[in-house]
Amino acid sequence: MADLLALVEARLRTGLGEPDARAAVTFLGTDRIEVLRFTDGDVVRYATLGMSGQPMTDPTAALADPVKGPRAELVLSVRAGLADTDKVLRPLAVLAASPQVEGLVVAPGASLDVGEPLWPGAPFTSVLVAEPGGLVEDLDLDAPMDPVRFLPLLPMTPNEAAWKRVHGAAALQERWLNGGTDLRDPLRTSVSLA
């Protein structure tokens, strides 16, 4: 796993540059999850490292395959200096550990909720998992292992999360696009859902 995570970190550095901070969190019964911070001008990106060490398995499967299955890391981008977003490290690590702890398969279109603000004063307790491939390219691994995908996270207000449950991820993303929503604004309000 250490070799795999070294490759994952190298891919993150290729896509995002050198991290300027990192923190590690370990939950009982799970592998260590690190969160790396990358600063690019007025944008701060937080990326998990460790979630991809084990493949995600369908919770209904009788046996977990130790090699095959989807692998991912999470990437959150926010505008710097508007809120104390560095406090997102623990909630991000919780989300990254959820496949091991809860048997979740994290995939584009999914909602993930931490049940508390992502950082102090944040209007968000959950995120929408977006399509990979924008910031960091997938990392292909030797067969039979699936590639590591770097999944962007888009913070959702409680109203947006409720609306998404009814109308779907694509409809919410269309609302954001039509509303000119700055999804990197750590203090933004909910998009108009009427």
Side-chain angles (χ1 to χ4, degrees):
M1 184 176 93
D3 292 346
L4 169 63
L5 294 182
L7 293 172
V8 171
E9 184 170 350
R11 179 56 55 97
L12 283 168
R13 289 171 185 263
T14 299
L16 303 176
E18 287 298 311
D20 57 13
R22 65 192 311 144
V25 180
T26 305
F27 302 100
L28 189 62
T30 67
D31 295 327
R32 171 180 153 134
I33 303 287
E34 289 190 81
V35 179
L36 283 60
R37 184 182 70 192
F38 301 86
T39 304
D40 180 16
D42 71 337
V43 175
V44 179
R45 292 189 171 87
Y46 302 93
T48 62
L49 178 63
M51 180 179 170
S52 61
Q54 304 289 331
M56 294 181 274
T57 54
D58 184 338
T60 62
L63 287 173
D65 191 316
V67 178
K68 290 165 63 173
R71 296 174 187 262
E73 297 291 352
L74 308 174
V75 181
L76 173 71
S77 300
V78 292
R79 298 231 176 271
L82 301 176
D84 189 9
T85 56
D86 279 352
K87 297 284 196 282
V88 78
L89 301 179
R90 185 166 179 76
L92 262 184
V94 167
L95 295 178
S98 62
Q100 287 184 57
V101 175
E102 300 173 34
L104 293 178
V105 175
V106 178
S111 299
L112 302 174
D113 196 317
V114 294
E116 61 185 36
L118 293 175
W119 51 82
F124 319 106
T125 61
S126 62
V127 293
L128 174 66
V129 181
E131 291 291 335
L135 288 171
V136 184
E137 289 182 31
D138 290 356
L139 173 63
D140 290 323
L141 302 174
D142 294 336
M145 292 192 288
D146 289 19
V148 177
R149 301 171 83 196
F150 298 89
L151 302 172
L153 300 180
L154 308 174
M156 292 188 291
T157 66
N159 285 346
E160 291 169 339
W163 198 85
K164 181 254 176 195
R165 279 192 292 279
V166 173
H167 300 281
L172 178 58
Q173 288 177 304
E174 189 175 317
R175 285 284 173 136
W176 283 336
L177 188 62
N178 292 340
T181 306
D182 180 2
L183 295 173
R184 294 178 178 168
D185 181 352
L187 301 173
R188 75 173 181 83
T189 56
S190 185
V191 70
S192 173
L193 300 170

